[in-house]
Amino acid sequence: MFGGNNFQTIIKELIEEQEKDLVYMYLITDYYDNIIGRVNLISVMRGSFNKAELGYRIGEKHQGKGYATSAVKLVLDEAVNKLKLHRIEAGTAPDNIGSQIVLVKNGFQFVGRYSKYVYQNGKWHDSLNFEKILD
């Protein structure tokens, strides 16, 4: 668990990164305003790329109910209309079919597979990569 000071430091750093146009973080809530997940635009690159990476996570008991699909749609609208981004990239584990469906439903295209791309739990894992051009 985070100590009080560590958590406050993390929150402060995240707010500073968002103010610097490096990340955009959003909470996903249900109809009753319970927090059920998050959706983020990270690694924002302006200039000749003008892109960001999409990430999201939904609490296990809320998965499969359309929350991620709706949240990603809202963030894509924000990305094009407010943030004026050109491209959004996303990666999933090859066996994460639910996440791949969320991306395809939101107009992402499969662009390739990276072998041994992410190091987690003591071993390397592949990543399937998707993109969406916003303009």
Side-chain angles (χ1 to χ4, degrees):
M1 198 79 191
F2 295 116
N5 289 338
N6 288 341
F7 187 71
Q8 292 301 326
T9 301
I10 290 168
I11 296 295
K12 182 176 181 267
E13 289 172 355
L14 290 173
I15 291 169
E16 288 171 359
E17 287 180 346
Q18 188 150 320
E19 288 172 349
K20 292 177 184 174
D21 193 39
L22 299 173
V23 300
Y24 292 92
M25 306 209 166
Y26 307 90
L27 294 174
I28 301 169
T29 59
D30 65 10
Y31 182 76
Y32 302 102
D33 286 333
N34 297 308
I35 296 171
I36 60 165
R38 56 113 180 126
V39 60
N40 306 327
L41 293 171
I42 64 169
S43 302
V44 176
M45 294 179 71
R46 295 296 185 171
S48 56
F49 288 109
N50 202 28
K51 68 177 185 169
E53 293 178 31
L54 173 71
Y56 48 91
R57 184 169 300 273
I58 302 293
E60 192 171 345
K61 72 179 185 176
H62 302 287
Q63 293 175 4
K65 299 178 181 176
Y67 288 116
T69 300
S70 296
V72 168
K73 182 179 182 192
L74 289 169
V75 166
L76 291 173
D77 184 62
E78 177 99 345
V80 70
N81 293 312
K82 182 178 176 190
L83 304 177
K84 307 297 184 196
L85 290 167
H86 164 71
R87 173 192 309 274
I88 304 295
E89 299 171 346
T92 74
D95 62 348
N96 191 344
I97 304 302
S99 190
Q100 295 160 32
I101 290 169
V102 167
L103 295 172
V104 170
K105 281 184 173 180
N106 276 288
F108 281 78
Q109 301 292 316
F110 173 75
V111 293
R113 180 181 185 130
Y114 288 133
S115 297
K116 299 181 180 180
Y117 187 67
V118 178
Y119 191 76
Q120 291 176 324
N121 302 321
K123 68 180 205 174
W124 288 98
H125 300 271
D126 291 358
S127 177
L128 300 184
N129 301 296
F130 295 80
E131 71 177 5
K132 180 169 177 134
I133 306 302
L134 299 174
D135 51 18

